[in-house]
Amino acid sequence: MPEGPSIRILQEDASGFTGKTVKKAYGNAKMDMSRMSNQKIKDLRTWGKHFLIVFEDFTVRIHLLMFGSYRINEQKDAVPRLSLLFKDGQQLNFYTCSIKYLEGDINTHYDWAADVMSDDWDAAAARKKLRANPSMFVCDALLEQDIFSGVGNIIKNEVLFRIRLHPLWLVGSLSSAKLSDMVTQARQYSFEFLEWKKAFVLKQHWLAHTRKICPRCHIPFLKAHLGHKKRRAFNCEKCQKKYD
């Protein structure tokens, strides 16, 4: 599943469509495509894992899910979920994704302060939300989009390894300093992810995610589906200890 930084790259790649008028929209998404015809794209935004095509009175929300993809000015050998054609011959195509309309002002639908890559990111608000959920595992907390919008499983595993936290620590058991570390690193790693992804070296920088050996302790990582969300976790039993 693409994480927030990958959706930021999509936003950058598609930025040239801002201000263009859609000539035709089609695809196999179950929605009224005709609403987009002859409508000008006012803005292209992101919120975590959501890509947002903003029109005058509505927004098209695109979530690439696990295997979604996009193509600009080219097509895959597959029926698009949504294809936007423009008068100058350019096109924007989306595949294997979730698409829905959001009505009215986009600002009524999203808390921009929860997006770890937003200029409006509010670290204090994230800490407050975490303290309100003391019984949540940290591996689940990092994946809560209302707290850390844009953080996915890669960022989760890397942040927990970086700050030496076992995935099954409870939020309520963290010191104020460690809780602040988690909030800070969720944002910092997201921007590092973005730069590595753009340079095509992201996987070279993974220290924990999908790795077999801990680079600090030189012992095998433990691999399991942990937390209530049951997402893959990679952790070291020596430097990411769990205290009962």
Side-chain angles (χ1 to χ4, degrees):
M1 177 185 293
E3 304 190 21
S6 295
I7 305 304
R8 279 298 186 96
I9 293 174
L10 163 55
Q11 181 189 29
E12 291 180 12
D13 289 346
S15 61
F17 292 103
T18 302
K20 289 184 178 292
T21 298
V22 175
K23 178 181 179 181
K24 179 182 179 182
Y26 71 92
N28 61 12
K30 295 181 179 179
M31 59 194 303
D32 178 10
M33 300 283 180
S34 65
R35 287 189 68 183
M36 288 176 268
S37 296
N38 299 312
Q39 294 292 316
K40 180 184 290 188
I41 295 177
K42 297 184 68 65
D43 200 4
L44 295 171
R45 303 190 65 173
T46 68
W47 184 83
K49 302 175 185 181
H50 295 178
F51 179 62
L52 306 167
I53 305 175
V54 183
F55 294 94
E56 182 65 38
D57 299 314
F58 63 91
T59 296
V60 176
R61 189 204 75 182
I62 297 172
H63 192 314
L64 294 180
L65 304 174
M66 291 298 293
F67 304 108
S69 62
Y70 66 95
R71 296 288 187 274
I72 294 176
N73 296 328
E74 63 178 10
Q75 296 183 347
K76 293 177 63 174
D77 186 19
V79 178
R81 188 78 78 220
L82 173 64
S83 180
L84 299 180
L85 305 181
F86 298 86
K87 295 179 179 180
D88 59 4
Q90 292 192 311
Q91 55 185 280
L92 179 58
N93 302 303
F94 297 93
Y95 302 87
T96 319
C97 56
S98 169
I99 302 177
K100 68 176 292 185
Y101 284 122
L102 302 177
E103 304 297 338
D105 184 355
I106 188 61
N107 294 300
T108 65
H109 293 275
Y110 288 102
D111 174 11
W112 306 108
D115 184 339
V116 295
M117 301 190 74
S118 172
D119 291 340
D120 296 319
W121 163 252
D122 188 337
R127 293 192 295 269
K128 183 177 180 180
K129 292 173 186 176
L130 288 169
R131 293 190 187 100
N133 290 277
S135 62
M136 187 181 291
F137 293 124
V138 293
C139 63
D140 289 332
L142 278 166
L143 296 176
E144 280 294 320
Q145 298 302 291
D146 289 342
I147 304 175
F148 297 106
S149 175
V151 170
N153 210 44
I154 296 170
I155 298 173
K156 176 206 77 177
N157 284 320
E158 293 297 317
V159 166
L160 292 179
F161 180 73
R162 181 176 283 191
I163 64 176
R164 298 173 181 251
L165 271 185
H166 190 283
L168 295 181
W169 267 86
L170 296 177
V171 169
S173 70
L174 300 181
S175 66
S176 294
K178 189 63 75 172
L179 186 143
S180 291
D181 282 348
M182 186 167 74
V183 172
T184 297
Q185 289 301 322
R187 178 173 169 85
Q188 180 173 321
Y189 192 89
S190 294
F191 279 100
E192 292 174 5
F193 182 126
L194 175 63
E195 293 307 310
W196 294 331
K197 180 83 171 178
K198 290 166 70 172
F200 304 100
V201 295
L202 175 61
K203 290 186 179 181
Q204 297 175 28
H205 289 272
W206 289 351
L207 298 179
H209 187 73
T210 73
R211 300 310 192 199
K212 295 182 179 180
I213 302 295
C214 173
R216 280 196 292 253
C217 305
H218 307 292
I219 61 175
F221 272 122
L222 301 179
K223 175 184 174 181
H225 290 78
L226 300 180
H228 294 297
K229 297 182 184 296
K230 300 298 181 183
R231 299 297 304 279
R232 284 194 307 168
F234 301 84
N235 66 281
C236 175
E237 61 182 340
K238 184 176 181 181
C239 63
Q240 292 176 272
K241 290 182 180 180
K242 179 179 181 292
Y243 297 97
D244 297 322

